[in-house]
């Protein structure tokens, strides 16, 4: 079911510790150059706020959550650091996948789970994450990785809860993966 | 003096160019680690494959040591680094929701971008879900903003909060990570796939 665009022999993944050092150096570079860490969910929030503002401007400006992402109107809200960074993530992920022969059209799941159910689960899990990341003021990138490395108290509490939540719930969705 | 942007070495527009370049590096290493596929990410939560833990903590330790030594040697002003405010209870609830969403959805927001980039249909649907969840949050925000902004603690780093010297805590996190890696290797041998699906290159 997976259709490879590049090669039929995907290369093995990088040693996790080497990949971790690479990721850590990218994060460090971000601190050194910008004084800020990485992120992902923030870019999606900006796009959502812009979308709502396009469809219903008065509704968006009356809501403090959206208006925070829209700014004061002097600059385009999409000219945002995280939006540009996430566009880079898209390109970087594609470059790496391309060179490793891992760009292919597929649905990732365990063998006993139907495609349709997997896609429902993906949307539902994504929605929980989108909602949770707003409450937590960041996701695995912005909180766990970025805040974790500067020993931010809230980030460490958050990170432990992410692992706790996932391990506690894993049993109930095991058929999706195993 | 680092961070360069905070000391006006360049403007915000140049910062966007750096954002794109840094993003490329971020996406590259996420994909290299195998984080473009939900199966590998979710395996973490069944003790089959602890790559998520290993990569995350190696990255945290690497960046933590870098920031620590740059500030000790006086090359970086750590007080200029952005710190997200702590709202402890909403962050605990948000973290739990994220964890449950992770094992149901198979990705987190960052890794789902990489999954999309490498053609994973479930990654595309997951991102759609993140947009939906963010939109729902935005719509109900007026109702929940009291809770969302409860227990504010401001910008609080653990050395200050626990009154432990920065260097000692950095050292403790390194030891904890090393212990965690040893435990992860042991757990993979005990609970992991008998024959690794994909061998690692060393």
């Amino acid at each position: 079911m997976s259709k490879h665009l590049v090669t039929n022999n995907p290369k093995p993944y990088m040693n996790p510790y080497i990949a971790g050092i690479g990721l850590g150096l990218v994060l460090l570079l971000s601190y050194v150059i910008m004084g800020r860490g990485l992120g992902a969910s923030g870019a999606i929030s900006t796009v959502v706020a812009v979308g709502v503002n396009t469809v219903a401007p008065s509704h968006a400006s009356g809501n403090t959550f959206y208006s925070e992402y829209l700014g004061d109107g002097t600059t385009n809200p999409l000219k945002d650091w995280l939006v540009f960074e996430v566009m880079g993530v898209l390109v970087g992920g594609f470059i790496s996948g391309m060179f490793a022969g891992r760009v292919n059209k597929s649905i990732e799941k365990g063998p006993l789970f139907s495609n349709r159910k997997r896609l429902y689960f993906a949307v539902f899990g994504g929605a929980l994450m989108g909602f949770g990341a707003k409450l937590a003021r960041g996701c695995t990138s912005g909180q766990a990785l970025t805040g974790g490395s500067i020993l931010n108290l809230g980030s460490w509490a958050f990170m432990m809860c992410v692992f706790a939540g996932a391990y506690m719930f894993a049993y109930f969705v095991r058929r999706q993966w195993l | 003096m680092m961070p360069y942007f905070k000391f006006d070495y360049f403007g915000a527009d140049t910062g966007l160019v750096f954002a794109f370049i840094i993003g490329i590096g971020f996406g590259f290493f996420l994909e290299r680690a195998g984080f473009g596929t939900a199966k590998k990410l979710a395996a973490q939560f069944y003790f089959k494959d602890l790559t998520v833990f290993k990569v995350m903590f190696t990255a945290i330790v690497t960046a933590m040591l870098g920031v620590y030594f740059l500030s000790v040697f006086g090359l970086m002003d750590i007080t200029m680094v952005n710190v997200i405010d702590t709202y402890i209870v909403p962050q605990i609830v948000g973290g739990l929701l994220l964890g449950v969403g992770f094992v149901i959805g198979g990705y987190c927001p960052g890794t789902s971008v990489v999954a999309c980039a490498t053609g994973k249909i479930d990654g595309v649907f997951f991102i759609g879900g993140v947009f939906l969840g963010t939109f729902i949050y935005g719509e109900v925000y007026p109702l929940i903003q009291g809770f969302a902004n409860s227990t504010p603690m401001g910008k609080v780093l653990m050395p200050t909060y626990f009154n432990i010297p920065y260097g000692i805590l950095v050292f403790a996190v390194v030891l904890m990570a090393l212990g965690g890696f040893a435990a992860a290797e042991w757990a993979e041998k005990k609970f992991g796939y008998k024959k690794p699906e994909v061998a690692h290159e060393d």
Side-chain angles (χ1 to χ4, degrees), chain B residues 23-45:
Chain B
I24 290 178
F26 186 25
F28 182 86
F29 282 109
L30 286 178
E31 205 288 329
R32 285 281 119 167
F35 289 1
T37 155
K39 258 188 94 173
K40 194 167 177 71
L41 292 164
Q44 166 74 39
F45 305 114

Side-chain angles (χ1 to χ4, degrees), chain A residues 40-56 60 65-71 76-87 90 134, chain B residues 113 127-128 130-136 138-139:
Chain A
S41 55
I44 293 176
S45 308
T46 302
V47 175
V48 168
V50 169
V52 171
N53 191 42
T54 309
V55 178
F65 172 74
Y66 296 132
S67 55
E68 226 170 86
Y69 286 98
L70 295 170
N76 185 338
L78 291 175
K79 251 184 86 180
D80 171 68
W81 201 86
L82 281 179
V83 170
F84 278 70
E85 185 237 33
V86 167
M87 288 196 287
L90 203 59
K134 288 304 100 195
Chain B
V113 173
I127 289 212
V130 178
F131 275 98
L132 181 66
T134 308
F135 174 67
I136 293 171
E139 290 306 306

Side-chain angles (χ1 to χ4, degrees), chain A residues 12 14-15 17 32-33 35 59 63 66 96 102 104 106 108 118 127 137 140 143 151-153 167 170 176-177, chain B residues 4-5 31-32 37 44 46 82 84 91 103 105 108 118 121-122 129 138-139 148-149 156 158 185 199 202:
Chain A
M14 193 180 262
N15 174 295
Y17 300 110
V32 164
I33 297 176
H59 178 63
N63 179 312
Y66 296 132
S96 169
R102 287 193 286 260
N104 54 54
S106 70
E108 301 295 308
R118 168 70 191 114
R137 287 155 179 84
T140 351
Q143 281 289 9
L151 304 175
N152 188 338
L153 179 75
Y167 274 106
Q176 181 178 211
W177 306 116
Chain B
Y4 297 124
F5 176 66
E31 205 288 329
R32 285 281 119 167
T37 155
Q44 166 74 39
Y46 301 93
N82 292 10
I84 300 174
Q91 277 181 315
V103 79
C108 59
T118 53
I121 311 295
D122 50 330
E139 290 306 306
N149 296 310
V156 45
M158 291 198 293
E185 297 298 336
D202 281 302

Side-chain angles (χ1 to χ4, degrees), chain B residues 90-168:
Chain B
Q91 277 181 315
I92 286 172
V93 175
L96 290 170
L97 280 177
L98 234 88
V100 174
F102 202 158
V103 79
I104 294 176
Y107 298 101
C108 59
T111 51
S112 70
V113 173
V114 173
C116 283
T118 53
K120 309 295 180 281
I121 311 295
D122 50 330
V124 178
F125 276 72
F126 181 93
I127 289 212
V130 178
F131 275 98
L132 181 66
T134 308
F135 174 67
I136 293 171
Y137 184 89
E139 290 306 306
V140 302
Y141 184 72
L143 304 172
I144 59 165
Q145 60 178 328
F147 173 71
N149 296 310
S150 64
T151 57
M153 297 172 69
K155 298 184 196 314
V156 45
L157 301 181
M158 291 198 293
T160 327
Y161 186 75
F162 293 115
N163 199 17
I164 300 171
Y166 186 20
I168 304 275

